[in-house]
């Protein structure tokens, strides 16, 4: 990949030589170059005439090129010569880093080399701005992440992400250990803009620390499944961080007060609110949110996306979809009844995306058609183990028309009837969609 | 000059539709059909007793059929590269024939044998008959790439020439003057071994639910067609509890071993359809089972790493968990979810499970609940499943774990609900997990929810007589859908890179040509440069839309400095 000018090696090996010395050497070498070499290095010859030398490529250009290289290749490049080594350590190349912490016993993927981690902490911790930690299911990996976090004292992080790639190993750490590591960043950064701490033992006091230091800059907070946080804790964040645009949390943290705080005058328009509604045990009870709170949200942020993931048992949907709710993206992770889907059609006028993983064995014809009629913004739908008659499905697609950019229907969902069979249906649907469409297939081997 | 021919059986364990064998016999004076048994195989390989038994039954059946033609099967122990030079010499071979094997390992092995053959002056005759089409032609039609979606594959198929008719069965007439020299000690030297001889413990082994062999295969084919004709319905049959059980018309293991020719099946299906429907053009869906098999063979043939995640250009790199304990529970049917355990039990006992059952257990192991690598599941299936060969098994596992083929990942099978919907009465569970026999239908799929009194009455206390559920399904699936979404969002955001690099190839008749090119680039890019993709919700939340729509917009928040694609690429490792 890298073409080497003959004089290159000499120029690089003697680090004490200045640029003009190296150029002289190159120029000297030129006349004695063999013919075939000359032809090979045609393009280099032109540059050489201007006294150019690969080792002297301007740092800005090097930076540009290095940015395209994966870290490993960059590291190899840094071993070529001192100039390139310097470029490797330019602050601009260390703004973003993703620490991958894996143990061979629990992961198939390689981990960031411990030496490299040491180097980064030593030389680049004050350059780091956008950092994430990907940890596997082992507690050691989570501990290693905390270890690094505690050393990021000189950092002014803008973005921090703690990502468990398998089981949430952060949850297995002693809470205090995790909190103290995390708060090092909260206190030192003072300019955190995005924070992703799902499935961690973060708690109310640490959120207070976050707020105390970063309330002006915080724009995005993702903290789904953080069991140690209470509604009061998140309310504190909403009250103080008026720039918050994206928030992800569990339903138990959602309250009327929170929605009102997010829609207060001081608050910017919210762009994205994601709520996970998860049942721990069958028969769990869920509180309701007043319609007026949702209305206030909508008035304040008319374009906001409300994303809700439901992981409930069929009989736990009682409090939901009784009144109008501004949901835009709706995901049913477990079986959901016809009745609830019927209510969705009535009460979710802003619906844009809908996923139904499973239903029962009775066709969802009426419910789908109602959704097509009432949810005029619907552009994406996914159906898993459900049943819909082919005619009703065609009707649904006809009513939605070309706004359906995503139509993911498992093949088994469609029940042939007197009007259409499976082979005919894809033509009908394609016609109404304006593009070729097939249901999602699974191997029938 | 005497023409001595060897026909080498590997798959294609049949005398009907065996064009390489037929060709081999033509003009030959002697014929010897050999099967080479690798002695290392039985002990160390990942092939269970059911698969071995099936194979041996196939070989016995071949031997019996050959006897009727005054011939015999020669089973030889050893490695092909050692065995053949010896045989060429001993038998003064002039010709070697075998059925084409499209799998990468097979191609390599055969290349080595071809070299040995040419060194020994032996002519080699190879014919395609394990697949409907010459797979290389399909790939050629697709611009030199294996198709990556089933839809694409179907589109290509519809442009291919008609499937070649099956060759006629080898009969005495076909054999004519060709004879097989059989020595007195043939049985000592070349007999089909027994399971015991291979080192298996056969005490207590139940009779095979799926008996191997061409004879059985052809009988089943007739039954299969009879049933279809009787039903007069060629649509995909609705799933019910009965479908889960082994059917006397099931054909998949026979297709895999080649006891049944896929082309024969294809033509018989076509004939029947035309007869019953009085319609001359059957839809592609009629051949669903065969085409899926063909699809996986096509995608695998040029990819030696098809059965791996790492270094596999068509496989998404997913951070699966390494967890041997959990894997063992799944493999041995001890997950605590009766639906999953019953399926794995049927698999282990009989060697076959319905394709929806496969979806259920594969989903549970990988992206649904345990988040364990599909490679592990594939290995277990390789051991236990009669119809699992390399290409189809690996391909199916990648598909079911949403690791490839652009399969939408939003849908996850529930290990309780799915079973309950399929078999509301729970008879399937009772049959394969007799310990749960006395549970009422209401609780048999989630017995841990049954009140103590019910458990005691059923004489099965959960946690004591039957394990507790090994995961909390809701929690696991919630986590896992997050993971998958994250991974696929990372892929989607490389749209910029992909478009930048893709050739603007336009083909108007083949659907989605450019799209697929982009996808391959995308996948390659995503593996090279993992991105610090932290946060931010795409507007397209739940779906993988590799199509690079404007829909996949990212909120400007989480873009790294400069907010450009270039900066996004600048990252770690």
């Amino acid at each position: 990949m890298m073409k080497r000018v003959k004089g290159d090696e000499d120029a690089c090996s003697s680090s004490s030589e200045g640029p003009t010395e190296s150029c002289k050497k190159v120029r000297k070498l030129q006349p004695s170059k063999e013919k075939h070499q000359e032809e090979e290095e045609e393009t280099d010859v032109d540059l050489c005439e201007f006294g150019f030398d690969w080792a002297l490529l301007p740092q800005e250009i090097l930076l540009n090129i290095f940015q395209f290289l994966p870290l490993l290749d960059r590291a190899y490049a840094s071993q070529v010569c001192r100039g390139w080594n310097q470029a490797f350590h330019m602050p601009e190349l260390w703004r973003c880093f993703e620490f991958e912490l894996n143990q061979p016993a629990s992961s198939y993927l390689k981990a960031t080399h411990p030496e490299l981690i040491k180097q980064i902490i030593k030389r680049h911790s004050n350059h780091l701005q956008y950092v994430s930690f990907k940890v596997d299911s082992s507690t050691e990996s989570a501990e290693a992440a905390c270890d690094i976090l505690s050393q990021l004292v000189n950092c002014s992080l803008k973005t921090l992400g703690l990502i468990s790639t398998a089981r949430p190993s952060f949850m297995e750490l002693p809470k205090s250990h995790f909190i103290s590591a995390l708060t090092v960043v909260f206190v030192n950064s003072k300019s955190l803009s995005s924070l992703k701490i799902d499935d961690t033992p973060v708690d109310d006091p640490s959120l207070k620390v976050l707020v105390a230091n970063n309330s002006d800059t915080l724009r995005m907070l993702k903290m789904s499944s953080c069991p140690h946080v209470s509604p009061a804790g998140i309310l504190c964040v909403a009250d103080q961080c008026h720039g918050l645009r994206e928030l992800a949390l569990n339903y138990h943290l959602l309250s009327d007060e929170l929605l009102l705080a997010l829609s207060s005058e001081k608050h910017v328009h919210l762009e994205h609110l994601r709520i996970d509604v998860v049942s721990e045990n069958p028969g769990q009870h869920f509180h309701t949110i007043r319609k007026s709170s949702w209305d206030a949200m909508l008035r304040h942020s008319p374009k906001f996306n409300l994303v809700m993931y439901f992981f409930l048992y069929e009989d736990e949907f009682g409090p939901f979809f009784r009144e109008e709710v501004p949901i835009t993206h709706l995901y049913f992770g477990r079986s959901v009844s016809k009745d609830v889907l019927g209510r969705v059609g009535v009460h979710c006028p802003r619906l844009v995306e809908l996923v139904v993983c499973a239903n029962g064995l009775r066709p969802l014809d009426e419910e789908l058609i109602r959704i097509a009629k009432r949810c005029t913004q619907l552009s994406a739908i996914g159906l898993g183990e459900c049943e819909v008659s082919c005619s009703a499905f065609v009707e649904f697609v006809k009513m939605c028309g070309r706004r359906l950019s995503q139509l993911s229907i498992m093949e088994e969902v469609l029940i042939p009837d007197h009007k259409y069979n499976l082979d005919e249906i894809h033509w009908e649907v394609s016609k109404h969609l304006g593009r070729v469409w097939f249901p999602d297939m699974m191997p029938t081997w | 000059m005497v023409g001595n021919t060897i026909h080498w059986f590997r798959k294609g364990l049949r005398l009907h539709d065996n064009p390489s064998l037929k060709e081999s016999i033509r003009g030959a004076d002697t014929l010897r059909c050999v099967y080479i048994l690798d002695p290392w195989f039985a002990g160390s390989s990942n092939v269970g007793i059911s698969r071995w038994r099936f194979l041996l039954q196939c070989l016995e059946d071949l031997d019996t059929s050959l006897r009727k033609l005054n011939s015999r099967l020669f089973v030889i122990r050893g490695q092909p590269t050692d065995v053949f030079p010896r045989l060429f010499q001993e038998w003064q071979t002039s010709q070697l024939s075998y059925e084409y094997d499209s799998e990468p390992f097979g191609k390599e092995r055969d290349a080595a044998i071809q070299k040995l053959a040419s060194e020994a002056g032996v002519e080699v005759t190879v014919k395609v008959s394990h697949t409907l089409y010459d797979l290389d032609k399909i790939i050629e039609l697709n611009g030199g790439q294996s198709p990556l979606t089933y839809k694409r594959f179907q589109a290509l198929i519809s442009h291919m020439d008609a499937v070649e008719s099956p060759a006629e069965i080898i009969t005495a007439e076909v054999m004519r003057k060709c004879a097989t020299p059989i020595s007195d000690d043939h049985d000592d030297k070349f007999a089909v071994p027994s399971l015991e001889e291979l080192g298996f413990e056969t005490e207590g082994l139940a009779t095979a639910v799926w008996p191997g062999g061409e004879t059985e295969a052809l009988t089943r084919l007739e039954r299969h067609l009879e049933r279809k004709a009787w039903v007069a319905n060629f649509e995909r049959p609705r799933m019910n509890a009965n479908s889960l059980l082994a059917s006397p018309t099931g054909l998949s293991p026979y297709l895999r071993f080649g006891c049944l020719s896929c082309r024969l099946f294809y033509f018989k299906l076509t004939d029947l359809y035309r007869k019953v429907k009085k319609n001359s053009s059957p839809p592609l869906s009629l051949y669903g089972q065969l085409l899926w098999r063909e699809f996986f063979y096509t995608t695998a043939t040029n990819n030696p790493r098809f059965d791996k995640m790492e270094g596999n250009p068509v496989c998404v790199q997913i951070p699966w968990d390494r967890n041997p304990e959990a894997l063992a529970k799944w493999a041995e049917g001890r997950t605590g979810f009766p639906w999953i355990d019953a399926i794995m039990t049927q698999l282990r006992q009989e060697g076959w499970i319905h394709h929806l059952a496969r979806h259920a257990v594969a989903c549970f192991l990988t992206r649904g609940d345990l988040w364990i690598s599909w490679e592990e599941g594939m290995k277990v299936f390789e051991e236990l499943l009669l119809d699992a060969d390399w290409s189809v098994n690996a391909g199916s596992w990648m598909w079911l774990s949403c690791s490839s083929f652009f399969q939408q990942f939003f849908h996850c099978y529930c290990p309780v609900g799915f079973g309950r919907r399929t078999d509301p009465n729970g008879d399937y569970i009772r049959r394969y997990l007799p310990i749960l026999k006395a549970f009422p239908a209401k609780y048999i799929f989630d017995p841990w929810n049954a009140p103590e009194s019910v458990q005691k009455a059923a004489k099965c206390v959960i946690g004591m007589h039957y394990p507790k559920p090994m995961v909390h399904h809701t929690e696991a699936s919630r986590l896992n859908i997050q993971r998958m979404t994250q991974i696929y969002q990372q892929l989607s955001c490389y749209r910029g890179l992909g478009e930048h690099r893709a050739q603007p190839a336009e083909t108007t008749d083949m659907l989605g040509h450019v799209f697929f090119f982009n996808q391959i680039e995308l996948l390659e890019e995503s593996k090279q440069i993992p991105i610090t993709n932290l946060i931010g919700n795409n507007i397209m939340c739940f779906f993988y839309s590799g199509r690079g729509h404007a829909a996949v917009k990212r909120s400007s928040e989480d873009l790294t400095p400069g907010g450009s694609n270039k900066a996004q690429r600048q990252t770690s490792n």
Side-chain angles (χ1 to χ4, degrees), chain B residues 81-328:
Chain B
T81 40
D82 297 326
V83 167
F84 276 113
R86 194 169 37 90
L87 294 182
F88 291 157
Q89 175 76 348
E90 221 175 282
W91 293 342
Q92 292 294 297
T93 313
S94 55
Q95 194 186 196
L96 170 67
S97 63
Y98 54 80
E99 178 186 72
Y100 178 70
D101 184 346
S102 66
E103 299 189 318
F105 166 75
K107 291 198 284 192
E108 211 182 293
R109 170 202 60 199
D110 292 347
I113 300 303
Q114 281 191 345
K115 190 154 169 284
L116 288 173
S118 79
E119 279 163 17
V122 174
E123 205 185 298
V124 178
T125 301
V126 187
K127 297 273 185 197
V128 171
S129 53
H130 190 65
T131 49
L132 296 172
Y133 300 94
D134 180 343
L135 304 180
D136 291 332
K137 291 219 174 85
I138 300 177
I139 292 171
E140 201 186 304
L141 198 60
N142 197 36
Q145 301 263 17
S146 293
L148 275 186
T149 66
Y150 188 62
K151 292 169 200 169
R152 176 80 174 151
F153 176 75
Q154 284 184 309
L156 292 166
I157 292 296
S158 59
H159 283 76
M160 292 281 289
D161 292 333
V163 175
E164 251 184 64
S165 295
E168 63 170 300
I169 189 169
I170 311 295
T171 55
E173 276 105 81
V174 174
M175 289 285 282
R176 281 219 273 161
K177 286 181 285 153
C178 189
T180 305
I182 304 170
S183 60
D184 292 328
D185 58 354
H186 179 98
D187 283 321
D188 295 327
K189 285 161 63 177
F190 303 116
V192 179
S194 65
L195 279 172
E196 291 83 0
E197 279 163 14
L198 290 177
F200 285 103
E201 185 59 64
T202 55
E203 204 183 292
L205 188 65
T207 8
V209 174
W210 299 81
E214 180 185 8
T215 313
E216 175 69 22
L218 291 171
T219 312
R220 281 174 173 252
L221 176 63
E222 284 313 307
R223 255 187 250 143
H224 183 101
L225 296 167
E226 261 165 37
R227 186 199 265 183
K228 265 205 153 61
W230 182 69
V231 173
N233 175 10
F234 294 88
E235 305 263 347
R236 184 208 292 250
R238 291 283 292 275
M239 177 71 172
N240 58 45
N242 236 21
S243 328
L244 292 168
L245 302 176
S247 159
T249 60
L251 298 171
S252 58
Y254 305 93
L255 287 165
R256 181 234 179 266
F257 280 88
C259 310
L260 173 64
S261 155
C262 58
R263 302 193 300 197
L264 181 67
F265 185 23
Y266 180 91
F267 278 96
K268 291 248 173 181
L269 263 180
T270 312
D271 289 341
L272 182 66
Y273 185 88
R274 288 189 181 145
K275 208 166 75 179
V276 172
K277 292 279 187 178
K278 301 187 194 348
N279 176 341
S280 61
S281 47
L284 276 183
S285 56
L286 178 68
Y287 314 107
Q289 190 179 15
L290 288 174
L291 291 180
W292 275 104
R293 172 181 177 272
E294 196 91 358
F295 170 68
F296 287 127
Y297 280 126
T298 313
T299 34
T301 184
N302 291 331
N303 184 355
R305 291 199 68 86
F306 192 66
D307 64 339
K308 306 255 182 307
M309 176 175 82
E310 202 187 319
N312 182 351
V314 305
C315 187
V316 177
Q317 306 296 303
I318 297 177
W320 303 115
D321 193 19
R322 251 204 162 114
N323 192 337
E325 216 182 288
L327 174 63

Side-chain angles (χ1 to χ4, degrees), chain A residues 137 159 219-220 274 411, chain B residues 236 321 474 482 534-535 557:
Chain A
S137 55
T159 304
R219 300 178 77 172
M220 181 187 305
R274 179 201 153 131
E411 208 182 13
Chain B
R236 184 208 292 250
D321 193 19
T474 298
Q482 288 296 22
L534 299 186
I535 329 182
E557 259 339 343

Side-chain angles (χ1 to χ4, degrees), chain B residues 442-562:
Chain B
K442 180 167 180 203
Y443 292 111
I444 198 165
F445 288 95
D446 53 350
W448 60 87
N449 282 331
E452 223 181 287
S453 53
V454 173
Q455 292 184 28
K456 286 215 171 89
K459 294 204 183 51
C460 177
V461 175
I462 302 306
M464 250 205 291
H465 305 107
Y466 180 75
K468 291 205 180 120
M470 66 183 288
V471 286
H472 189 282
H473 173 70
T474 298
E475 188 49 30
S477 60
R478 177 199 69 80
L479 267 172
N480 293 339
I481 193 74
Q482 288 296 22
R483 316 251 177 273
M484 293 301 281
T485 311
Q486 208 163 293
I487 289 160
Y488 273 86
Q489 276 176 356
Q490 272 187 268
L491 286 184
S492 293
C493 73
Y494 276 97
R495 173 176 59 88
L497 273 176
E499 279 175 356
H500 175 63
R501 293 244 251 114
Q503 276 90 71
E506 299 293 342
T507 47
T508 48
D509 59 333
M510 294 290 181
L511 87 98
H513 190 99
V514 176
F515 169 58
F516 298 130
F517 237 77
N518 278 346
Q519 291 313 306
I520 291 164
E521 300 273 18
L522 279 176
L523 286 173
E524 283 173 350
E525 290 292 345
S526 74
K527 274 184 299 298
Q528 280 179 35
I529 312 175
I531 187 186
T532 309
N533 165 33
L534 299 186
I535 329 182
N537 289 299
N538 297 339
I539 291 175
M540 186 74 91
C541 279
F542 311 131
F543 302 96
Y544 172 54
S545 162
R547 214 169 259 286
H549 278 159
V552 183
K553 250 188 285 198
R554 309 187 68 224
S555 68
S556 56
E557 259 339 343
D558 47 334
L559 285 180
T560 45

